[in-house]
Structures are given as structure tokens and as C-alpha cells.
């Protein structure tokens, strides 16, 4: 049921006043009567920020084309919903009765994050708004209707210019209008991250559970009860929390059955909610009549192939630098795509590119940090990370293969090196080296999900009865680079990148925005279904 109580209204009804005076010939002068500095309005938990009014000051204006109108300096508007409820809002323009210049000669457009929301229109082509009436206005028009999920922020740019159809008869006339924001609380507008958390007890409940025992594989109660030796197993299915590079992340562990999503006509499993509220998904095959039943073998993968070549430290990376280099930095520069990245990128381009606006540029960690110092892991360990030098990497040190008591069985979602934080455009927290916002799962996420090195587990949600590759480097030894992967028995293992016995299956991983409409509750038979239109 929608909550009809109105939580905001224009703290100041007039956001800004637009005034156009006629000069000579087609010359128009426009001034904006607002404060010089940013104008921040906070009403309850809904914030509005208006940019400096001079941003849309048009001097010596004259009739111009839409193309040139969209090149004008826009008026910037930022809306942020700090409320616990979602909301619906309108951006409205109200021409004043005192105008002598007709609405048809003022053209308008609005962009969200540089994406045009509609083809430029004259004011009288906009939808009539009947929600607000006053004797001051000749009419009221809706520029945009949209939603804001809880904690969501949106940025808009409003463009105004004189319609190219204006003639000399429009000289010596004026136009004024008030712009308003109308916001209404709406309990039906719930972000996907909120739905997931609520399905699993809520943030407070999840955070209070503490950390599970990562020295044991997470299995079902039925599986556990049948074991003669229970030493390496535990039953800790559910959702847990830990920190990542953005904040608090909430991850699924064990034999969960409520982490299913249908997006872009494919099934996915939710790995975790990232610290920036994105939903990290791993590919899980094709829907069957609107459901996402568990599939095995290579079916949950997009292809089966080698990860990369194997005879140099460079090849442990999802991307790599100069083969045969004599230093770490050149070896692990992100200049070339691994075979795995090429496979994943090609699939994304053919299947998900049109949905890219619904994905976030959240980092993927392909950790290539050095695990120790010279001689730490073995007498021939060089800790150099280049050429054919024996080298152990960070994910190995955090696994149960490790002999480092401080790091063993302590997975982390914090990525040590910026060079290993794969992003598309974000060069601040990430490396901005990806082609598309897609990669692979990493070893730490496998451990958090309930996997354990060399301990069979066919009951946690990532099990597929196939060799599923991660993007985490393990070590370089005996002229062979090795990667961490989930093996056919459900444990995670360390193998050559070329996998001579069998190829790896690739399961793409993406980060879906939380601010999206869904139906369903995440189960196999009633998965979250993302509305993409």
C-alpha cells in the first residue's frame, strides 16, 4: 500500500525565476533571480541542492536549434533521499500569468548523468500538471516524474533556450516561470539491497552474527549429519557482513536458496551486497519458465577454456604486462587481456551491453600482492613476482593452504593494490583498466561463500560439479603460473592456468544497481526479476 502522506514540499515554492527581456532583432536577455552560492534545502530527510543561478544565464540570447540549446550551460539540480522510505517526485515548471512571451517559444530539456531524458520540447508540449494550483500561474507542466529509493541521490541538468521558431513579433516580450519539486513518500519503492537484507533478518541482525569459521567448509545440516569426520565442516548458512573497499558488505554463505536473480534474460546468484550498495551477481545459466533451478557441469558457465598462458608470472593476472620483464611493475601492468577476460568481455558485448546503464562501476579484486618475503614459503621463494621467479601471492597466504598463522583462513574483501582493483572508469579507487563492468569471482569471495581448499563441498551455492575459475593468483612455481578455482568436488584448488586435464568454465560476475524495480523474493522458484524497461 502506498504511503500517501507528503513528506516534502517545496520549502521555498519559487526555486528560481526565469525572466526574458527582448532586445533588438532576435537578441534576448535572460537573468535568473537566485542566490549566487549553492542553495541547499533540507526538508525532513529529503535534500535538494540548486546550483549557482548564473549557470543558466543567457546573454544576448536569440532563437537557436535544439543541438545548440543542449550545448548551453545547464542549471544543476541534485536530489537526495536520506529517508528510510522511497519516494516519488515531480519536477514542475509554472509559467506566470504576467508573461507576454508565449510558452511555445521557450524550449526545455533535462539530463540525468548526461543522459537525455526526453527529446527537447517547448513548455506547452509538456504534460499538464494538475497537482498544484495558484492564482499566480497561467498553467503548470510536469518536466519529469521519477523515483528516489532510500539513500539514493540523483543529479539533473536543466537546459533552457529560445525556440528557433521565434520571429520578430516576439520582441519586447517577457517570460517568467517558477520551478518546483513535488515529493511524496511511497512505501512501494524499495531498493533491491533493502529487499535482500530484509529477507535475511535486516542489517542489525546480520551484523550481530559475527564472523563464521572460515577454517571449515559450510554445508547443509543434512550433509553435516551424514559425515563420519566433521572436523573440516560447519553449518553456518545465511548472510554475514564484513568490510570491503567501500564500506560494509553483506555476503551469502553456505547452501542458501534465496539469492537468485533473473536479469537480462539470464539467471544469476547473488554473491554479496557491496559497500556501495551494488548487488554482485555471478552468472548461473538460463531461466526455465521463470525459475532458476540448480544446474551442474558447464551449464552455469558461458564458455570452457584456459585462463591464460602459464610460463611467466605475468600470466597470473586477469590483465598482464610485459612477459619476460625483470621487475614486478612492468610484469603486472594492465596492458593485455588474459584469455579469460577476452572470453568474458566478448560475451558481455554480445549479451549485456544494452543493459550496461543498470550496472555500477564497482571494483573487482584480482589480487597480485606478494604473499611474503624471500624464502618465506620455500627456500626457492624469491617474492619477486616477475619472469620465472618462484613467487607466492596474497590469496594463497589467506587460504587454508597457508602456513602463515596470521593470514590463514582470513579472507578479505579489501583489495591491497590499486593496480589490482579492476574498474572501467573509476580511476580514484580503481585502476580504470576494464573494457566493460564485468569480471570473475575471486578466491576470497569463494571462501566467504563457504568453500575451503581441498575440502569437498557439494552443498554450498557456488558448487557446479565443474572447474570454475576465479581471478585470484596463487603462485608461480616450476615454470608454471597457477590460479585458484573451484574444482569438481566443490573445494577450491590451485591449478595451472592452462588446465591440461580440463578447461575452466567462465562464470561472469557483474554489479547490478540496487536502485531498480524487481518482483519476486529471491528463491529458486520465485527469483528476483529485474524490470529492465
Amino acid at each position: 500500500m502506498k504511503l500517501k502522506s507528503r513528506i516534502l514540499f517545496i520549502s521555498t515554492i519559487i526555486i528560481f525565476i526565469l525572466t526574458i527581456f527582448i532586445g533588438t532583432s532576435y537578441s534576448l536577455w535572460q537573468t535568473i533571480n537566485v542566490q549566487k552560492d549553492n542553495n541547499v534545502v533540507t526538508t525532513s530527510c529529503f535534500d535538494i541542492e540548486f546550483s549557482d543561478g548564473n549557470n543558466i544565464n543567457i546573454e544576448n540570447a536569440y532563437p537557436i536549434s535544439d543541438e545548440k540549446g543542449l550545448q548551453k550551460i545547464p542549471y544543476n539540480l541534485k536530489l537526495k533521499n536520506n529517508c528510510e522510505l522511497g519516494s516519488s517526485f515531480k519536477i514542475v515548471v509554472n509559467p506566470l500569468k504576467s508573461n507576454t512571451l508565449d510558452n511555445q517559444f521557450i524550449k526545455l530539456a533535462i539530463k540525468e548523468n548526461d543522459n537525455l531524458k526526453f527529446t527537447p520540447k517547448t513548455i506547452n508540449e509538456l504534460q499538464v500538471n494538475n497537482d498544484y494550483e495558484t492564482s499566480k500561474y497561467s498553467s503548470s507542466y510536469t518536466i519529469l516524474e521519477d523515483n528516489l529509493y532510500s539513500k539514493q541521490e540523483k543529479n539533473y541538468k536543466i537546459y533552457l533556450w529560445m525556440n528557433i521558431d521565434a520571429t520578430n513579433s516576439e520582441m519586447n516580450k517577457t517570460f517568467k516561470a517558477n520551478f518546483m519539486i513535488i515529493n511524496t513518500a511511497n512505501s512501494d519503492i524499495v531498493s533491491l539491497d533493502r529487499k535482500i537484507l530484509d529477507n535475511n533478518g535486516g542489517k542489525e541482525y546480520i551484523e550481530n552474527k559475527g564472523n563464521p569459521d572460515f577454517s571449515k567448509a559450510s554445508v547443509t545440516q543434512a550433509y553435516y549429519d551424514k559425515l563420519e569426520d566433521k572436523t573440516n565442516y560447519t553449518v553456518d548458512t545465511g548472510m554475514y557482513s564484513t568490510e570491503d573497499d567501500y564500506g560494509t558488505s553483506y555476503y551469502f554463505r553456505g547452501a542458501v536458496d534465496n539469492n537468485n536473480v533473473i536479469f537480462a534474460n539470464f539467471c544469476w546468484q547473488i554473491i554479496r551486497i557491496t559497500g556501495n550498495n551494488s548487488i554482485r551477481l555471478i552468472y548461473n545459466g538460463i531461466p526455465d519458465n521463470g525459475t532458476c533451478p540448480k544446474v551442474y557441469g558447464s551449464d552455469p558457465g558461458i564458455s570452457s577454456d584456459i585462463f591464460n598462458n602459464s610460463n611467466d608470472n605475468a600470466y597470473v593476472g586477469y590483465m598482464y604486462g610485459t612477459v619476460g620483464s625483470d621487475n614486478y611493475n612492468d610484469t603486472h601492468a594492465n596492458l593485455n587481456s588474459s584469455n579469460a577476460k577476452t572470453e568474458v568481455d566478448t560475451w558481455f558485448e554480445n549479451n549485456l551491453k544494452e543493459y550496461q546503464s543498470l550496472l555500477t562501476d564497482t571494483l573487482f579484486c584480482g589480487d597480485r600482492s606478494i604473499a611474503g618475503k624471500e624464502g618465506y614459503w620455500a627456500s626457492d621463494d624469491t617474492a619477486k613476482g616477475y619472469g620465472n621467479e618462484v613467487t607466492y601471492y596474497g590469496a594463497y597466504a589467506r587460504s587454508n593452504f597457508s602456513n602463515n598463522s596470521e593470514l590463514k583462513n582470513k579472507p578479505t574483501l579489501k583489495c591491497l593494490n590499486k593496480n589490482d582493483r579492476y574498474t572501467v572508469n573509476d580511476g580514484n579507487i580503481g585502476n580504470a583498466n576494464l573494457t566493460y563492468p564485468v569480471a570473475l569471482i575471486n578466491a576470497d569471495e569463494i571462501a566467504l561463500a563457504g568453500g575451503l581448499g581441498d575440502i569437498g563441498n557439494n552443498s554450498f551455492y557456488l558448487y557446479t560439479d565443474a572447474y570454475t575459475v576465479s581471478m585470484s593468483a596463487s603462485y608461480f612455481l616450476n615454470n608454471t603460473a597457477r590460479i585458484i578455482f573451484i574444482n569438481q568436488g566443490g573445494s577450491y584448488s590451485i591449478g595451472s592456468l592452462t588446465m591440461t586435464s580440463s578447461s575452466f568454465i567462465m562464470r561472469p560476475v557483474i554489479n547490478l544497481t540496487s536502485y531498480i524495480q524487481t518482483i519476486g523474493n529471491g528463491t529458486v522458484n520465485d527469483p528476483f526479476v529485474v524490470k529492465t524497461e
Side-chain angles (χ1 to χ4, degrees), residues 78 87 237 247 417 489:
K78 180 191 292 184
S87 66
T237 292
N417 296 329

Side-chain angles (χ1 to χ4, degrees), residues 285-354:
I286 308 297
D288 181 7
N289 292 322
T291 68
C292 288
K294 185 71 176 178
V295 288
Y296 298 98
S298 61
D299 286 344
I302 60 164
S303 65
S304 181
D305 207 342
I306 66 170
F307 184 93
N308 213 17
N309 292 323
S310 181
N311 61 345
D312 191 281
N313 267 280
Y315 294 130
V316 300
Y318 191 63
M319 296 183 72
Y320 62 94
T322 304
V323 176
S325 172
D326 62 357
N327 66 84
Y328 177 92
N329 289 337
D330 288 343
T331 297
H332 298 293
N334 296 317
L335 304 177
N336 308 290
S337 294
S338 64
N339 182 69
K341 180 177 180 295
T342 299
E343 292 273 348
V344 168
D345 282 353
T346 299
W347 181 85
F348 184 97
E349 184 169 353
N350 292 334
N351 294 277
L352 288 190
K353 191 174 181 180
E354 65 179 295

Side-chain angles (χ1 to χ4, degrees), residues 48-65:
I48 309 171
E49 183 177 321
F50 315 121
S51 65
D52 187 324
N54 289 335
N55 284 351
I56 58 169
N57 184 32
I58 305 173
E59 297 183 352
N60 294 316
Y62 53 87
I64 58 176
S65 66

